Every structure is written in structure tokens, then in C-alpha cells.
Amino acid sequence: MKLLRYGPAGQEKAGALDAQGRMRDLSLLVPDLTPEWLAPERLRALTAIDLQKLPLVDESVRIGVPVAGSRQFVAIGLNYRKHAEEAGMEIPKEPVIFTKAITSLSGPNDDIVLPDGAQEGDWEIELGLIIGTKAQKVPVEKALEHVAGYCLANDVSERNWQAKRGGQWSKGKSFDTFGPIGPWLVTTDEIPDPQVLEMELKVNGETRQKSTTADMIFPVAQIVSHLSQFMTLLPGDVIITGTPSGVGLGMKPQQFLKKGDVITLRMDQLGAQTQKVV
């Protein structure tokens, strides 16, 4: 099932995509797609709904973050071998962890707002996942049972703040609008293997990143298990899993985002995003 939230920021309603790819209004049945709705039994109940009987949603409406009320936004760095190499960093022996502010979450097609004085804005296409049930010290073979679904993500970064302002990556990752996710939360029954998804990111129509989740150093199950060893993962938590090579920082010469740039992203089964840089 493909779940979504639509409407003005702060006033989103629950929705779902029908078999023809049309948006349907779920709000009469589901007040909002909050963490409790990601529990397996509730997701099963949603799949039983006849979406054809629900009202259509205007295709021009804004799409929001696909889940409301997330409490943690966790990211994995250097999780594709070629990306680590282009960044001039060693291949990690364990997942590299950092966090993004919850306030950086934004809709998949919302504008990206560069902060005042931004020098090195950058793009990073990533596979995102959203936790469905609390995870504490789970083994790898059980880890995917705690995932409600997957989404497309752009880990927008400001490299000067990330690398040259005291070494705290979160500084360059947490500005408002630096966490577009969606358009949908695709439940795990539609994506039994998250390690076979192709992805592509373009800037102003030119391909910058093109890869597949098969190239991850640490696959999704290992990431979820690893995180759960030292932190409790809660329903609604967003985890993004690293980016392949092709970021602006790694280009020769380096290229960074500027006002007016348009970023387009797509990933198998997870839809597409378009963001304008302002």
C-alpha cells in the first residue's frame, strides 16, 4: 500500500494511492497518519479498505511528509563504497550515524531553502525507511519486522556547516527543508527486498547520481539492528540509509546548489520528487 499525506503544511490529511495511481482521501477513516497507524495490525486493516469508494484528491494538491509525529530522524553516512571514496574517507567498519533535526523534514516537492550565507549546498538521494514497531536490541534476521515501509529521501546538506564548523555533521544537515521525504510511504509487503531498488538524481536535468541499493555497504536490516543496540527506535522514526557517489562535494571541480536550481529524484517503486532551490 502507498500511504501519503496531502494539503497545506500543518494541515495535512491522510491519503492513499489506488491501483490506478490516483490519490484517495482517507481522512474520514484515518484522522492522520501518526505513529500508531504504522502498527502491523492497523496497516493490515488499511489494506482491506476499498479505495475505489473513497473520494479522489485533486492531483495539484501539495504532498506532505508521509507520516506525522516522528520523534527521531536518524541518518547513515558513507554507506556506499564509491561515495566514501569520493569523500576521501575510509570505508567504515560499522555504520556511521548522525541525526537530522525533526524540523528539517519537509514534503517531497517543497522548496529547499538555503540558509543565509550558504556556500556549499549539496544533494544526496537516499532510501528512507519508517519504523512501525518499537525496536530494542533486535537481531538482523528480525530487523525488517520492525519496518512499516520505505520512502524516497533527499539528505540535503550544507557542506561548510557540516565539515568546517566544529566537526558536527548535524550542523550541516538540520536546516529547515533539508529533509524532503515521500511522496509516499510504501508498505513492506510491496517491497520485500529493499536492496534491489534503482535510483537517480538530476540537477537541472543533468544526472548526478545513479545507482542501486544493492551497493550499500550495510543493508537495511543491518542498519536497523545496529541502531537498536544503542538506541530505542520508535514507531514513526525516520531513518535514511546513505547516498551513492555523485554528490556536488565529490565533483571535480566541486559544484554546489544555487538559487533557482531544480533537483529531481526518483527511485523504483517509491515515486519521484522535484525541489526548487530558493
Side-chain angles (χ1 to χ4, degrees):
M1 194 172 195
K2 294 180 174 68
L3 298 169
L4 57 95
R5 296 171 66 247
Y6 70 93
Q11 302 175 46
E12 292 93 343
K13 295 181 178 181
L17 228 59
D18 67 17
Q20 289 73 43
R22 298 173 299 187
M23 290 187 290
R24 298 282 181 168
D25 180 16
L26 274 179
S27 63
L28 291 178
L29 304 172
V30 181
D32 201 356
L33 289 172
T34 47
E36 60 267 23
W37 281 96
L38 303 180
E41 61 275 10
R42 290 212 177 185
L43 289 179
R44 282 193 294 270
L46 292 178
T47 61
I49 296 171
D50 183 357
L51 295 178
Q52 303 297 327
K53 295 181 178 179
L54 298 179
L56 284 165
V57 176
D58 190 320
E59 293 295 324
S60 66
V61 73
R62 172 187 174 270
I63 305 298
V65 176
V67 63
S70 299
R71 288 162 283 192
Q72 301 182 100
F73 190 2
V74 185
I76 308 299
L78 306 175
N79 197 27
Y80 288 73
R81 191 172 300 273
K82 289 182 180 179
H83 176 55
E85 291 171 354
E86 74 177 352
M89 304 184 78
E90 294 183 5
I91 304 299
K93 296 179 174 60
E94 289 191 359
V96 175
I97 313 298
F98 62 95
T99 58
K100 291 172 73 84
I102 287 294
T103 49
S104 70
L105 285 170
S106 61
N109 304 315
D110 292 347
D111 290 344
I112 291 172
V113 182
L114 292 177
D116 292 341
Q119 302 176 33
E120 300 178 356
D122 209 344
W123 55 84
E124 294 190 15
I125 189 172
E126 308 204 7
L127 170 65
L129 63 98
I130 298 177
I131 296 294
T133 58
K134 184 168 74 171
Q136 293 174 299
K137 300 186 185 305
V138 299
V140 172
E141 59 271 18
K142 297 282 189 180
L144 295 186
E145 296 176 10
H146 295 269
V147 177
Y150 301 97
C151 60
L152 177 58
N154 188 358
D155 177 20
V156 185
S157 310
E158 211 291 336
R159 303 298 189 187
N160 184 60
W161 277 84
Q162 178 184 350
K164 302 169 186 175
R165 300 291 293 266
Q168 302 298 316
W169 282 16
S170 295
K171 289 182 179 179
K173 303 279 192 171
S174 290
F175 291 100
D176 289 358
T177 75
F178 272 30
I181 65 170
W184 318 304
L185 165 64
V186 184
T187 51
T188 55
D189 59 302
E190 293 198 15
I191 303 180
D193 184 359
Q195 304 305 147
V196 294
L197 305 177
E198 294 186 354
M199 67 186 82
E200 184 176 27
L201 179 146
K202 297 180 180 181
V203 180
N204 300 328
E206 296 187 10
T207 298
R208 294 291 185 235
Q209 293 181 282
K210 191 170 185 178
S211 187
T212 167
T213 54
D215 289 336
M216 284 184 184
I217 298 169
F218 306 105
V220 171
Q222 189 172 351
I223 289 169
V224 173
S225 174
H226 180 75
L227 289 171
S228 77
Q229 303 308 308
F230 60 86
M231 64 185 293
T232 299
L233 299 174
L234 301 169
D237 286 354
V238 178
I239 301 170
I240 53 177
T241 58
T243 197
S245 60
V247 299
L249 180 71
M251 297 180 70
K252 296 181 180 179
Q254 294 176 337
Q255 294 188 25
F256 296 113
L257 294 171
K258 60 186 184 302
K259 188 182 299 186
D261 284 347
V262 175
I263 309 170
T264 54
L265 306 84
R266 63 152 194 90
M267 191 176 296
D268 286 348
Q269 302 183 65
L270 298 182
Q273 300 182 350
T274 300
Q275 296 123 20
K276 184 178 179 180
V277 179
V278 301

